[in-house]
Amino acid sequence: MRFAMMAMLLPLAACAGAGGEGPANPPPVAEGPCRNDPVAGFVGQTATADLGAQMLAASGAKTLRWGGPNTAMTMDFRPDRLTVIYDEKMVIGSARCG
């Protein structure tokens, strides 16, 4: 029985690391709707956990979602979330609420 349970959980564990390593998610620092204008100046900078924390504070977002190269993401809209897209060199290409 244990073997069967472990065999069922193994594929889920394999998915956990899909997409490679990205910057760590900083803890939420604000609660409310996200604002796009304050984060426009972060585009072109290198994605780091510290920069993510600064972007969260500037945007007023409650959560941060990193999107690296070839990362699949849901299309649901959340007004309290900041989505930051970065490339292979960890350079931020866009930052938007939603």
Side-chain angles (χ1 to χ4, degrees):
M1 182 72 163
R2 273 191 190 162
F3 180 74
M5 184 65 105
M6 301 240 338
M8 289 182 356
L9 294 176
L10 186 59
L12 295 176
C15 292
E21 294 276 328
N25 280 331
V29 293
E31 294 192 25
C34 181
R35 296 178 310 278
N36 284 316
D37 292 340
V39 295
F42 291 98
V43 173
Q45 296 186 38
T46 301
T48 64
D50 289 338
L51 191 65
Q54 292 175 35
M55 294 174 79
L56 266 178
S59 69
K62 185 176 178 182
T63 59
L64 173 66
R65 175 171 67 166
W66 292 107
N70 303 315
T71 300
M73 287 196 259
T74 61
M75 297 298 290
D76 63 317
F77 181 81
R78 291 187 39 200
D80 64 340
R81 177 177 62 198
L82 177 65
T83 300
V84 180
I85 307 296
Y86 61 90
D87 65 14
E88 298 83 12
K89 295 181 181 178
M90 302 294 288
V91 175
I92 296 172
S94 69
R96 65 184 179 281
C97 298

